[in-house]
Amino acid sequence: MSLIVTANQLTKTFGVKKAVNAIDLKIEKGPPVGLVGPNGAGKTTLFSLIAGFLRPSSGSVTIFGHSPTASQVKGRLAILPQDASFVKGISIIANISFLCKLQGFTGKAAMVEAERVLELVNMSEHRNQHVERLSHGMYKRVAIAQAFIGTPELVLLDEPTAGLDPPSAKKIHNLIRANTDRTSFIISSHNLNEIEDICSSVIIIKDGAIVSHDALSNLVSRSNVLRLRLETEPSETLIQTFKQHADINEVKNGRAGENVLILYYAERENLIIETEVLQILNQLGLSYLELKRGEALDDKVSDFLEK
Amino acid sequence: MPENKKLFRILLWQDVAWSIKSARGSLFLVLFGIFWFWILWKLSQGQLQSWLKTGDSFIASFIWGAGVAKDLIIDKPTTLSIYLIFALTTMPFFAILAACDQTASDISSKYLRFLISRCTRAQVFLARFFGVVILVTTAYIAVTFFVILISLSIDGFSTPDTISYGIKVALTVAIYSLPFIAIMAFLSAAIPSAALSALTGMGSYAILAIVISILPQINSNFSFFGYILPSGFKQGLYNTEFSTYFPSMLAVLIFVPLFVWLAWLVFSKRDI
Protein backbone atom coordinates (compact mmCIF):
# COMPACT_ATOMS: atom_id res chain seq x y z
CA MET A 1 0.00 0.00 0.00
CA SER A 2 1.31 3.47 -0.81
CA LEU A 3 0.84 6.55 1.29
CA ILE A 4 -1.24 9.24 -0.32
CA VAL A 5 -1.42 11.73 2.55
CA THR A 6 1.16 12.27 5.27
CA ALA A 7 1.00 14.96 7.93
CA ASN A 8 3.68 15.61 10.51
CA GLN A 9 2.85 17.82 13.49
CA LEU A 10 0.56 19.74 11.17
CA THR A 11 -0.71 22.89 12.85
CA LYS A 12 -2.84 25.77 11.64
CA THR A 13 -3.67 28.72 13.83
CA PHE A 14 -6.12 31.54 13.17
CA GLY A 15 -5.18 34.24 15.64
CA VAL A 16 -4.98 32.48 18.98
CA LYS A 17 -7.19 29.56 17.95
CA LYS A 18 -5.47 26.35 16.90
CA ALA A 19 -7.85 25.02 14.25
CA VAL A 20 -5.54 22.08 13.58
CA ASN A 21 -3.22 21.13 16.41
CA ALA A 22 -0.06 19.09 15.78
CA ILE A 23 -1.75 16.39 13.74
CA ASP A 24 0.24 13.33 12.70
CA LEU A 25 -1.57 11.44 9.98
CA LYS A 26 -0.90 8.74 7.43
CA ILE A 27 -3.55 7.75 4.89
CA GLU A 28 -2.90 4.94 2.47
CA LYS A 29 -4.28 4.41 -0.98
CA GLY A 30 -7.39 2.30 -0.67
CA PRO A 31 -11.05 2.30 0.36
CA PRO A 32 -12.79 5.53 1.42
CA VAL A 33 -11.77 7.16 4.68
CA GLY A 34 -14.28 9.12 6.75
CA LEU A 35 -13.43 12.28 8.61
CA VAL A 36 -15.87 13.06 11.40
CA GLY A 37 -16.11 15.47 14.29
CA PRO A 38 -18.29 18.25 15.64
CA ASN A 39 -18.59 21.71 14.07
CA GLY A 40 -15.36 23.64 14.48
CA ALA A 41 -13.33 20.48 15.09
CA GLY A 42 -10.98 21.34 12.23
CA LYS A 43 -12.20 19.02 9.46
CA THR A 44 -12.47 21.68 6.74
CA THR A 45 -9.19 23.26 7.85
CA LEU A 46 -7.48 19.87 7.60
CA PHE A 47 -8.91 19.40 4.09
CA SER A 48 -7.76 22.90 3.12
CA LEU A 49 -4.25 22.16 4.37
CA ILE A 50 -4.12 18.87 2.45
CA ALA A 51 -5.34 20.61 -0.71
CA GLY A 52 -2.87 23.49 -0.34
CA PHE A 53 -5.50 26.20 0.13
CA LEU A 54 -4.08 27.06 3.52
CA ARG A 55 -0.43 27.21 4.53
CA PRO A 56 0.47 25.33 7.72
CA SER A 57 1.46 27.51 10.67
CA SER A 58 3.92 24.75 11.52
CA GLY A 59 4.52 21.13 10.61
CA SER A 60 4.09 19.71 7.14
CA VAL A 61 1.72 17.83 4.88
CA THR A 62 2.46 15.89 1.71
CA ILE A 63 0.27 14.31 -0.97
CA PHE A 64 1.78 11.48 -2.99
CA GLY A 65 5.08 12.41 -1.34
CA HIS A 66 4.99 16.01 -2.59
CA SER A 67 3.99 19.36 -1.14
CA PRO A 68 0.32 20.15 -1.94
CA THR A 69 1.56 23.15 -3.95
CA ALA A 70 3.90 21.09 -6.14
CA SER A 71 3.04 20.71 -9.82
CA GLN A 72 3.45 16.89 -9.46
CA VAL A 73 0.24 16.84 -7.41
CA LYS A 74 -1.90 18.85 -9.80
CA GLY A 75 -4.64 16.90 -11.53
CA ARG A 76 -4.07 13.87 -9.28
CA LEU A 77 -6.02 15.48 -6.45
CA ALA A 78 -9.62 16.69 -6.71
CA ILE A 79 -11.63 18.35 -4.03
CA LEU A 80 -15.18 19.37 -3.28
CA PRO A 81 -14.55 22.55 -1.28
CA GLN A 82 -17.30 23.38 1.18
CA ASP A 83 -18.04 26.99 0.24
CA ALA A 84 -16.28 27.81 -3.01
CA SER A 85 -18.12 29.63 -5.80
CA PHE A 86 -17.94 29.16 -9.55
CA VAL A 87 -17.50 32.10 -11.91
CA LYS A 88 -20.75 34.06 -12.05
CA GLY A 89 -22.29 35.16 -15.33
CA ILE A 90 -20.92 32.04 -16.99
CA SER A 91 -22.87 28.86 -17.77
CA ILE A 92 -22.34 25.64 -15.86
CA ILE A 93 -20.95 23.91 -18.93
CA ALA A 94 -18.46 26.76 -19.56
CA ASN A 95 -17.31 26.63 -15.95
CA ILE A 96 -16.85 22.85 -15.96
CA SER A 97 -15.32 22.56 -19.45
CA PHE A 98 -12.72 25.16 -18.47
CA LEU A 99 -11.75 23.00 -15.47
CA CYS A 100 -11.64 20.01 -17.86
CA LYS A 101 -9.16 21.90 -20.05
CA LEU A 102 -6.98 22.51 -17.01
CA GLN A 103 -7.10 18.79 -16.39
CA GLY A 104 -5.74 17.98 -19.85
CA PHE A 105 -8.86 17.68 -21.98
CA THR A 106 -8.57 19.66 -25.19
CA GLY A 107 -11.23 21.24 -27.39
CA LYS A 108 -14.20 18.96 -27.95
CA ALA A 109 -12.94 16.39 -25.42
CA ALA A 110 -13.25 19.01 -22.68
CA MET A 111 -16.88 19.54 -23.57
CA VAL A 112 -17.55 15.79 -23.71
CA GLU A 113 -15.92 15.30 -20.30
CA ALA A 114 -17.92 18.22 -18.86
CA GLU A 115 -21.13 16.62 -20.17
CA ARG A 116 -20.08 13.27 -18.66
CA VAL A 117 -19.47 14.58 -15.15
CA LEU A 118 -22.64 16.69 -15.21
CA GLU A 119 -24.58 13.59 -16.24
CA LEU A 120 -23.09 11.76 -13.23
CA VAL A 121 -24.91 14.18 -10.94
CA ASN A 122 -28.06 14.59 -13.08
CA MET A 123 -27.20 18.16 -14.03
CA SER A 124 -26.66 17.87 -17.77
CA GLU A 125 -30.09 19.25 -18.60
CA HIS A 126 -29.18 22.44 -16.72
CA ARG A 127 -25.82 22.79 -18.51
CA ASN A 128 -26.59 26.20 -20.01
CA GLN A 129 -27.86 27.81 -16.83
CA HIS A 130 -25.72 30.39 -15.10
CA VAL A 131 -24.40 29.18 -11.78
CA GLU A 132 -25.96 32.02 -9.78
CA ARG A 133 -29.43 30.79 -10.78
CA LEU A 134 -28.96 27.35 -9.25
CA SER A 135 -30.49 26.18 -5.98
CA HIS A 136 -28.13 25.14 -3.18
CA GLY A 137 -28.58 21.45 -3.96
CA MET A 138 -27.99 21.91 -7.70
CA TYR A 139 -24.93 24.04 -7.01
CA LYS A 140 -23.60 21.32 -4.74
CA ARG A 141 -24.08 18.71 -7.44
CA VAL A 142 -22.15 20.81 -9.96
CA ALA A 143 -19.37 21.23 -7.40
CA ILE A 144 -19.33 17.45 -6.91
CA ALA A 145 -19.25 16.95 -10.70
CA GLN A 146 -16.00 18.94 -11.02
CA ALA A 147 -14.34 16.63 -8.50
CA PHE A 148 -14.92 13.70 -10.85
CA ILE A 149 -13.27 15.27 -13.91
CA GLY A 150 -10.68 12.91 -15.36
CA THR A 151 -9.31 10.19 -13.14
CA PRO A 152 -8.06 11.79 -9.94
CA GLU A 153 -6.19 9.46 -7.60
CA LEU A 154 -7.43 11.21 -4.47
CA VAL A 155 -10.74 12.99 -3.99
CA LEU A 156 -11.49 15.04 -0.88
CA LEU A 157 -15.22 15.53 -0.36
CA ASP A 158 -16.22 18.05 2.27
CA GLU A 159 -19.84 17.44 3.30
CA PRO A 160 -20.75 15.93 -0.10
CA THR A 161 -24.43 15.32 0.61
CA ALA A 162 -25.25 18.17 3.00
CA GLY A 163 -28.25 19.98 1.53
CA LEU A 164 -29.01 17.28 -1.04
CA ASP A 165 -32.36 15.52 -1.30
CA PRO A 166 -32.27 11.77 -0.45
CA PRO A 167 -32.30 10.51 -4.09
CA SER A 168 -29.43 12.86 -4.98
CA ALA A 169 -27.51 11.83 -1.87
CA LYS A 170 -28.00 8.17 -2.79
CA LYS A 171 -26.73 8.90 -6.30
CA ILE A 172 -23.59 10.50 -4.86
CA HIS A 173 -23.06 7.48 -2.57
CA ASN A 174 -23.30 5.17 -5.58
CA LEU A 175 -20.96 7.40 -7.54
CA ILE A 176 -18.35 7.17 -4.80
CA ARG A 177 -18.77 3.39 -4.53
CA ALA A 178 -18.41 3.00 -8.29
CA ASN A 179 -15.08 4.81 -8.28
CA THR A 180 -13.39 3.32 -5.21
CA ASP A 181 -11.36 0.85 -7.27
CA ARG A 182 -9.36 3.60 -8.97
CA THR A 183 -9.77 6.58 -6.64
CA SER A 184 -9.13 7.04 -2.93
CA PHE A 185 -11.74 9.16 -1.18
CA ILE A 186 -11.55 11.10 2.06
CA ILE A 187 -15.06 12.12 3.05
CA SER A 188 -15.88 14.65 5.73
CA SER A 189 -19.45 14.40 6.92
CA HIS A 190 -21.75 14.90 9.87
CA ASN A 191 -23.92 12.13 8.49
CA LEU A 192 -22.43 9.16 10.31
CA ASN A 193 -24.75 6.69 8.59
CA GLU A 194 -23.22 7.85 5.32
CA ILE A 195 -19.69 7.39 6.67
CA GLU A 196 -20.59 3.97 8.06
CA ASP A 197 -22.15 3.01 4.77
CA ILE A 198 -19.30 4.08 2.49
CA CYS A 199 -16.05 4.23 4.44
CA SER A 200 -13.91 1.43 5.74
CA SER A 201 -11.87 3.55 8.15
CA VAL A 202 -12.68 6.62 10.15
CA ILE A 203 -10.72 9.56 11.51
CA ILE A 204 -12.37 11.24 14.48
CA ILE A 205 -11.22 14.80 15.06
CA LYS A 206 -11.93 17.01 18.05
CA ASP A 207 -10.57 20.47 18.90
CA GLY A 208 -8.12 20.26 16.00
CA ALA A 209 -6.60 16.96 17.11
CA ILE A 210 -7.16 13.39 15.96
CA VAL A 211 -8.71 11.34 18.77
CA SER A 212 -9.07 8.15 16.76
CA HIS A 213 -7.97 6.83 13.38
CA ASP A 214 -8.99 3.25 12.94
CA ALA A 215 -10.69 0.76 10.66
CA LEU A 216 -14.45 0.87 10.95
CA SER A 217 -14.40 -2.85 11.84
CA ASN A 218 -12.17 -2.11 14.85
CA LEU A 219 -14.20 0.89 15.84
CA VAL A 220 -17.65 -0.63 15.76
CA SER A 221 -18.25 -4.25 16.61
CA ARG A 222 -20.55 -6.04 14.19
CA SER A 223 -20.82 -9.29 16.15
CA ASN A 224 -22.04 -10.05 19.69
CA VAL A 225 -23.76 -6.68 19.92
CA LEU A 226 -27.41 -5.71 19.62
CA ARG A 227 -28.64 -2.17 19.39
CA LEU A 228 -32.15 -1.80 20.71
CA ARG A 229 -34.14 1.39 20.24
CA LEU A 230 -37.29 1.70 22.31
CA GLU A 231 -40.30 3.96 22.10
CA THR A 232 -39.69 5.26 25.60
CA GLU A 233 -36.70 5.74 27.87
CA PRO A 234 -35.39 2.32 29.03
CA SER A 235 -36.56 1.65 32.59
CA GLU A 236 -34.25 0.44 35.35
CA THR A 237 -36.31 -2.78 35.48
CA LEU A 238 -35.59 -3.49 31.83
CA ILE A 239 -31.87 -2.77 32.23
CA GLN A 240 -31.65 -5.04 35.28
CA THR A 241 -33.56 -7.80 33.46
CA PHE A 242 -31.08 -7.70 30.60
CA LYS A 243 -28.15 -7.62 33.00
CA GLN A 244 -29.45 -10.73 34.76
CA HIS A 245 -29.81 -12.63 31.50
CA ALA A 246 -27.24 -15.42 31.31
CA ASP A 247 -26.12 -14.62 27.78
CA ILE A 248 -25.90 -10.83 28.09
CA ASN A 249 -22.54 -9.63 29.41
CA GLU A 250 -22.99 -5.90 29.39
CA VAL A 251 -25.73 -3.34 28.95
CA LYS A 252 -24.93 0.21 27.90
CA ASN A 253 -27.20 3.19 27.56
CA GLY A 254 -27.19 5.10 24.31
CA ARG A 255 -27.05 8.89 24.17
CA ALA A 256 -29.55 10.83 26.27
CA GLY A 257 -32.94 11.10 24.58
CA GLU A 258 -32.23 8.36 22.03
CA ASN A 259 -33.94 5.57 24.07
CA VAL A 260 -31.22 3.19 22.99
CA LEU A 261 -29.71 0.21 24.82
CA ILE A 262 -26.61 -1.54 23.56
CA LEU A 263 -26.47 -5.18 24.58
CA TYR A 264 -23.18 -7.12 24.48
CA TYR A 265 -23.71 -10.88 24.56
CA ALA A 266 -21.67 -14.06 24.44
CA GLU A 267 -21.97 -16.20 21.33
CA ARG A 268 -23.08 -19.74 21.89
CA GLU A 269 -24.57 -22.45 19.79
CA ASN A 270 -28.32 -22.28 19.08
CA LEU A 271 -28.60 -18.87 20.68
CA ILE A 272 -30.88 -16.49 18.83
CA ILE A 273 -30.40 -13.44 21.00
CA GLU A 274 -33.00 -11.39 19.16
CA THR A 275 -35.69 -13.88 20.26
CA GLU A 276 -34.52 -13.66 23.87
CA VAL A 277 -34.62 -9.86 23.79
CA LEU A 278 -38.06 -9.76 22.20
CA GLN A 279 -39.41 -12.18 24.82
CA ILE A 280 -38.15 -9.93 27.63
CA LEU A 281 -39.77 -6.91 26.00
CA ASN A 282 -42.99 -8.84 25.62
CA GLN A 283 -42.94 -9.92 29.26
CA LEU A 284 -42.50 -6.32 30.37
CA GLY A 285 -45.14 -5.09 27.93
CA LEU A 286 -42.68 -2.86 26.05
CA SER A 287 -42.50 -2.19 22.34
CA TYR A 288 -39.43 -1.27 20.31
CA LEU A 289 -38.64 0.80 17.25
CA GLU A 290 -35.48 -0.85 16.02
CA LEU A 291 -33.36 -3.89 16.76
CA LYS A 292 -30.05 -4.03 14.91
CA ARG A 293 -27.00 -6.22 15.07
CA GLY A 294 -23.74 -4.35 15.66
CA GLU A 295 -22.76 -1.06 17.23
CA ALA A 296 -23.53 2.25 15.56
CA LEU A 297 -20.68 4.53 14.55
CA ASP A 298 -22.74 7.36 15.99
CA ASP A 299 -22.42 5.87 19.51
CA LYS A 300 -18.70 5.27 19.16
CA VAL A 301 -18.03 8.76 17.86
CA SER A 302 -20.05 10.18 20.74
CA ASP A 303 -17.97 8.12 23.16
CA PHE A 304 -14.76 9.59 21.74
CA LEU A 305 -16.05 13.12 21.66
CA GLU A 306 -17.42 13.01 25.20
CA LYS A 307 -14.16 11.70 26.67
CA MET B 1 -1.95 16.76 -17.13
CA PRO B 2 -1.03 19.49 -19.63
CA GLU B 3 2.52 20.80 -19.48
CA ASN B 4 3.09 23.94 -17.42
CA LYS B 5 3.23 26.33 -20.39
CA LYS B 6 0.02 24.94 -21.82
CA LEU B 7 -1.74 25.30 -18.47
CA PHE B 8 -0.56 28.91 -18.31
CA ARG B 9 -1.90 29.59 -21.81
CA ILE B 10 -5.29 28.05 -20.95
CA LEU B 11 -5.53 30.17 -17.80
CA LEU B 12 -4.36 33.32 -19.60
CA TRP B 13 -6.80 33.24 -22.51
CA GLN B 14 -9.70 32.15 -20.33
CA ASP B 15 -8.97 35.09 -18.04
CA VAL B 16 -8.90 37.51 -20.97
CA ALA B 17 -12.16 36.08 -22.36
CA TRP B 18 -13.98 36.09 -19.01
CA SER B 19 -12.59 39.46 -17.89
CA ILE B 20 -14.58 41.15 -20.68
CA LYS B 21 -17.76 39.60 -19.22
CA SER B 22 -16.82 40.33 -15.62
CA ALA B 23 -17.99 43.37 -13.66
CA ARG B 24 -14.53 44.93 -13.41
CA GLY B 25 -13.78 44.27 -17.09
CA SER B 26 -17.12 45.71 -18.18
CA LEU B 27 -16.75 48.76 -15.93
CA PHE B 28 -13.25 49.41 -17.27
CA LEU B 29 -14.30 49.00 -20.91
CA VAL B 30 -17.42 51.16 -20.54
CA LEU B 31 -15.65 54.06 -18.75
CA PHE B 32 -12.60 53.72 -20.98
CA GLY B 33 -14.80 53.65 -24.09
CA ILE B 34 -16.87 56.70 -23.06
CA PHE B 35 -13.81 58.74 -22.11
CA TRP B 36 -11.81 57.95 -25.22
CA PHE B 37 -14.79 58.32 -27.54
CA TRP B 38 -15.22 61.84 -26.20
CA ILE B 39 -11.49 62.62 -26.52
CA LEU B 40 -11.34 61.14 -30.05
CA TRP B 41 -14.37 63.21 -31.02
CA LYS B 42 -12.69 66.37 -29.73
CA LEU B 43 -9.44 65.42 -31.48
CA SER B 44 -11.23 64.81 -34.78
CA GLN B 45 -12.72 68.30 -34.50
CA GLY B 46 -9.25 69.74 -33.87
CA GLN B 47 -10.46 71.38 -30.65
CA LEU B 48 -7.80 69.97 -28.35
CA GLN B 49 -4.99 70.56 -30.82
CA SER B 50 -5.84 74.24 -31.08
CA TRP B 51 -5.79 74.52 -27.29
CA LEU B 52 -2.21 73.26 -27.15
CA LYS B 53 -1.01 75.14 -30.24
CA THR B 54 -2.40 78.56 -29.48
CA GLY B 55 -3.49 80.20 -26.28
CA ASP B 56 -1.92 77.85 -23.82
CA SER B 57 1.33 76.93 -25.51
CA PHE B 58 2.97 79.10 -22.83
CA ILE B 59 1.54 76.67 -20.23
CA ALA B 60 2.82 73.71 -22.27
CA SER B 61 6.29 75.26 -22.32
CA PHE B 62 6.06 75.88 -18.60
CA ILE B 63 5.02 72.26 -17.87
CA TRP B 64 7.31 70.35 -20.19
CA GLY B 65 10.04 72.89 -20.99
CA ALA B 66 10.33 74.87 -24.21
CA GLY B 67 12.21 72.15 -26.12
CA VAL B 68 9.79 69.35 -25.27
CA ALA B 69 6.78 71.59 -25.88
CA LYS B 70 8.11 72.50 -29.31
CA ASP B 71 8.73 68.83 -30.09
CA LEU B 72 5.25 67.80 -29.00
CA ILE B 73 3.37 70.66 -30.61
CA ILE B 74 5.31 71.53 -33.73
CA ASP B 75 7.82 68.82 -34.65
CA LYS B 76 5.52 65.84 -33.99
CA PRO B 77 1.89 65.18 -34.96
CA THR B 78 0.01 67.26 -32.40
CA THR B 79 -2.99 64.91 -32.26
CA LEU B 80 -0.80 62.02 -31.18
CA SER B 81 1.03 64.26 -28.68
CA ILE B 82 -2.27 65.33 -27.15
CA TYR B 83 -3.33 61.69 -26.96
CA LEU B 84 -0.03 60.79 -25.26
CA ILE B 85 -0.56 63.52 -22.64
CA PHE B 86 -4.13 62.43 -21.90
CA ALA B 87 -3.25 58.73 -21.91
CA LEU B 88 -0.39 59.08 -19.44
CA THR B 89 -2.31 61.50 -17.23
CA THR B 90 -5.36 59.25 -16.95
CA MET B 91 -3.41 56.00 -16.87
CA PRO B 92 -3.45 55.56 -13.06
CA PHE B 93 -7.26 55.64 -13.05
CA PHE B 94 -7.85 53.32 -15.98
CA ALA B 95 -5.03 50.87 -15.22
CA ILE B 96 -6.06 50.61 -11.57
CA LEU B 97 -9.68 50.06 -12.62
CA ALA B 98 -8.75 47.33 -15.09
CA ALA B 99 -6.25 45.64 -12.77
CA CYS B 100 -8.01 45.87 -9.40
CA ASP B 101 -9.40 42.35 -9.51
CA GLN B 102 -6.57 40.12 -10.63
CA THR B 103 -7.12 37.78 -7.70
CA ALA B 104 -9.22 39.73 -5.15
CA SER B 105 -12.74 38.48 -5.97
CA ASP B 106 -11.60 34.93 -6.53
CA ILE B 107 -9.91 34.92 -3.14
CA SER B 108 -13.10 36.09 -1.42
CA SER B 109 -15.40 33.76 -3.42
CA LYS B 110 -12.87 30.91 -3.00
CA TYR B 111 -13.09 30.17 -6.73
CA LEU B 112 -9.32 29.71 -6.71
CA ARG B 113 -9.95 26.49 -4.77
CA PHE B 114 -11.30 24.93 -7.98
CA LEU B 115 -8.14 25.98 -9.82
CA ILE B 116 -5.44 25.23 -7.27
CA SER B 117 -6.00 21.47 -7.38
CA ARG B 118 -5.31 21.63 -11.13
CA CYS B 119 -2.58 24.24 -11.54
CA THR B 120 0.02 26.03 -9.44
CA ARG B 121 -0.39 29.37 -7.71
CA ALA B 122 2.38 30.78 -9.92
CA GLN B 123 0.46 29.87 -13.08
CA VAL B 124 -2.74 31.47 -11.76
CA PHE B 125 -0.89 34.58 -10.57
CA LEU B 126 1.03 35.14 -13.82
CA ALA B 127 -1.98 34.37 -16.00
CA ARG B 128 -4.04 36.97 -14.14
CA PHE B 129 -1.26 39.57 -14.40
CA PHE B 130 -0.65 39.05 -18.10
CA GLY B 131 -4.40 38.79 -18.72
CA VAL B 132 -4.81 42.36 -17.50
CA VAL B 133 -1.72 43.45 -19.47
CA ILE B 134 -3.33 42.06 -22.64
CA LEU B 135 -6.69 43.71 -21.86
CA VAL B 136 -5.19 47.15 -21.15
CA THR B 137 -2.65 47.04 -23.98
CA THR B 138 -5.27 45.95 -26.51
CA ALA B 139 -7.61 48.73 -25.40
CA TYR B 140 -4.90 51.38 -25.78
CA ILE B 141 -3.67 49.97 -29.10
CA ALA B 142 -7.23 50.23 -30.43
CA VAL B 143 -7.49 53.87 -29.32
CA THR B 144 -4.01 54.66 -30.70
CA PHE B 145 -5.08 53.22 -34.07
CA PHE B 146 -7.98 55.68 -34.28
CA VAL B 147 -5.77 58.55 -33.11
CA ILE B 148 -3.28 57.75 -35.90
CA LEU B 149 -6.14 57.87 -38.43
CA ILE B 150 -7.26 61.27 -37.08
CA SER B 151 -3.67 62.51 -37.07
CA LEU B 152 -3.16 61.42 -40.68
CA SER B 153 -6.24 63.36 -41.72
CA ILE B 154 -5.59 66.64 -39.90
CA ASP B 155 -1.96 67.04 -38.75
CA GLY B 156 -0.34 67.25 -42.17
CA PHE B 157 2.63 64.99 -41.42
CA SER B 158 3.76 62.24 -43.77
CA THR B 159 2.21 58.82 -43.27
CA PRO B 160 5.52 57.11 -42.25
CA ASP B 161 6.29 59.89 -39.74
CA THR B 162 2.81 59.71 -38.25
CA ILE B 163 2.78 55.92 -38.03
CA SER B 164 6.28 55.67 -36.53
CA TYR B 165 5.41 58.32 -33.94
CA GLY B 166 2.09 56.55 -33.34
CA ILE B 167 3.90 53.28 -32.65
CA LYS B 168 6.24 55.03 -30.22
CA VAL B 169 3.25 56.62 -28.46
CA ALA B 170 1.47 53.24 -28.25
CA LEU B 171 4.62 51.62 -26.86
CA THR B 172 5.05 54.41 -24.30
CA VAL B 173 1.44 54.14 -23.17
CA ALA B 174 1.60 50.34 -22.95
CA ILE B 175 4.80 50.38 -20.91
CA TYR B 176 3.54 53.16 -18.63
CA SER B 177 0.50 50.98 -17.78
CA LEU B 178 2.68 48.11 -16.50
CA PRO B 179 3.74 49.53 -13.10
CA PHE B 180 0.12 50.33 -12.26
CA ILE B 181 -0.97 46.80 -13.17
CA ALA B 182 1.89 45.48 -11.02
CA ILE B 183 0.90 47.68 -8.06
CA MET B 184 -2.65 46.37 -8.39
CA ALA B 185 -1.39 42.78 -8.56
CA PHE B 186 0.00 43.43 -5.09
CA LEU B 187 -3.13 45.14 -3.75
CA SER B 188 -5.57 42.60 -5.21
CA ALA B 189 -3.54 39.75 -3.68
CA ALA B 190 -3.52 41.51 -0.30
CA ILE B 191 -7.15 42.75 -0.24
CA PRO B 192 -9.85 40.16 -0.96
CA SER B 193 -12.26 42.69 -2.50
CA ALA B 194 -12.00 44.19 -5.98
CA ALA B 195 -13.76 47.42 -5.03
CA LEU B 196 -11.65 47.89 -1.93
CA SER B 197 -8.41 47.17 -3.76
CA ALA B 198 -9.41 49.70 -6.47
CA LEU B 199 -10.27 52.32 -3.83
CA THR B 200 -7.04 51.63 -1.96
CA GLY B 201 -5.05 51.87 -5.19
CA MET B 202 -6.64 55.10 -6.35
CA GLY B 203 -6.77 56.64 -2.87
CA SER B 204 -3.19 55.89 -1.93
CA TYR B 205 -1.95 56.98 -5.36
CA ALA B 206 -3.82 60.28 -5.13
CA ILE B 207 -2.56 60.95 -1.60
CA LEU B 208 1.02 60.13 -2.57
CA ALA B 209 0.79 62.31 -5.69
CA ILE B 210 -0.45 65.26 -3.61
CA VAL B 211 2.23 64.77 -0.94
CA ILE B 212 4.92 64.49 -3.60
CA SER B 213 3.77 67.69 -5.29
CA ILE B 214 3.72 69.60 -1.99
CA LEU B 215 7.02 68.40 -0.52
CA PRO B 216 9.37 70.18 -2.98
CA GLN B 217 7.57 73.45 -2.22
CA ILE B 218 8.40 73.00 1.45
CA ASN B 219 11.98 72.04 0.81
CA SER B 220 13.63 71.64 -2.60
CA ASN B 221 15.71 68.75 -1.22
CA PHE B 222 12.51 66.69 -1.18
CA SER B 223 12.09 66.84 -4.94
CA PHE B 224 13.58 63.33 -5.31
CA PHE B 225 10.40 61.98 -3.64
CA GLY B 226 8.71 62.47 -7.01
CA TYR B 227 10.53 59.40 -8.26
CA ILE B 228 8.88 56.98 -5.83
CA LEU B 229 5.91 56.87 -8.23
CA PRO B 230 5.97 55.99 -11.95
CA SER B 231 4.53 59.43 -12.67
CA GLY B 232 7.85 60.93 -11.55
CA PHE B 233 9.28 59.73 -14.86
CA LYS B 234 6.38 60.91 -17.01
CA GLN B 235 8.23 64.06 -18.11
CA GLY B 236 10.96 61.91 -19.62
CA LEU B 237 8.41 59.87 -21.54
CA TYR B 238 7.16 63.02 -23.33
CA ASN B 239 10.70 63.82 -24.37
CA THR B 240 11.62 62.95 -27.92
CA GLU B 241 15.37 62.86 -27.16
CA PHE B 242 16.37 59.21 -26.92
CA SER B 243 18.90 59.98 -24.15
CA THR B 244 16.09 61.22 -21.92
CA TYR B 245 13.26 59.04 -23.15
CA PHE B 246 15.00 55.67 -22.86
CA PRO B 247 16.26 56.00 -19.23
CA SER B 248 12.78 57.20 -18.22
CA MET B 249 11.27 54.16 -19.89
CA LEU B 250 13.70 51.87 -18.04
CA ALA B 251 12.97 53.65 -14.75
CA VAL B 252 9.24 53.08 -15.22
CA LEU B 253 9.89 49.43 -15.96
CA ILE B 254 11.86 49.00 -12.72
CA PHE B 255 8.60 49.39 -10.78
CA VAL B 256 7.18 46.32 -12.52
CA PRO B 257 9.40 43.49 -11.15
CA LEU B 258 9.46 45.21 -7.77
CA PHE B 259 5.68 45.18 -7.35
CA VAL B 260 5.20 41.83 -9.12
CA TRP B 261 7.66 40.34 -6.63
CA LEU B 262 5.83 41.92 -3.68
CA ALA B 263 2.51 40.71 -5.07
CA TRP B 264 3.86 37.19 -5.49
CA LEU B 265 5.20 37.21 -1.92
CA VAL B 266 1.69 37.97 -0.68
CA PHE B 267 -0.20 35.67 -3.06
CA SER B 268 2.10 32.68 -2.69
CA LYS B 269 1.81 32.70 1.10
CA ARG B 270 -1.76 33.74 1.68
CA ASP B 271 -4.66 31.44 2.50
CA ILE B 272 -7.09 31.16 -0.37
Side-chain angles (χ1 to χ4, degrees), chain B residues 4-106:
Chain B
N4 288 338
K5 281 181 192 168
K6 193 178 173 191
L7 268 177
F8 171 72
R9 281 202 301 272
I10 294 167
L11 283 164
L12 175 66
W13 291 114
Q14 200 72 37
D15 183 61
V16 172
W18 284 359
S19 67
I20 295 165
K21 294 180 182 176
S22 71
R24 54 109 173 161
S26 306
L27 187 64
F28 162 71
L29 289 173
V30 167
L31 292 179
F32 185 88
I34 291 169
F35 176 77
W36 284 109
F37 180 79
W38 181 74
I39 294 290
L40 289 176
W41 178 255
K42 292 285 181 189
L43 285 171
S44 68
Q45 303 294 305
Q47 291 174 7
L48 296 174
Q49 293 90 324
S50 62
W51 165 77
L52 199 60
K53 275 182 172 170
T54 56
D56 291 312
S57 59
F58 169 74
I59 295 172
S61 301
F62 177 74
I63 295 171
W64 298 297
V68 174
K70 179 180 170 292
D71 280 343
L72 288 173
I73 298 163
I74 298 162
D75 296 343
K76 297 290 178 191
T78 316
T79 305
L80 277 161
S81 296
I82 294 264
Y83 163 65
L84 178 65
I85 293 163
F86 273 101
L88 297 197
T89 306
T90 56
M91 182 61 77
F93 174 76
F94 285 119
I96 287 172
L97 193 63
C100 66
D101 194 17
Q102 290 172 55
T103 51
S105 291
D106 287 345

Side-chain angles (χ1 to χ4, degrees), chain B residues 243-266:
Chain B
S243 57
T244 308
Y245 174 79
F246 190 67
S248 301
M249 193 72 110
L250 287 181
V252 165
L253 282 174
I254 286 171
F255 287 94
V256 181
L258 176 71
F259 278 100
V260 167
W261 176 71
L262 278 175
W264 172 244
L265 276 187
V266 173

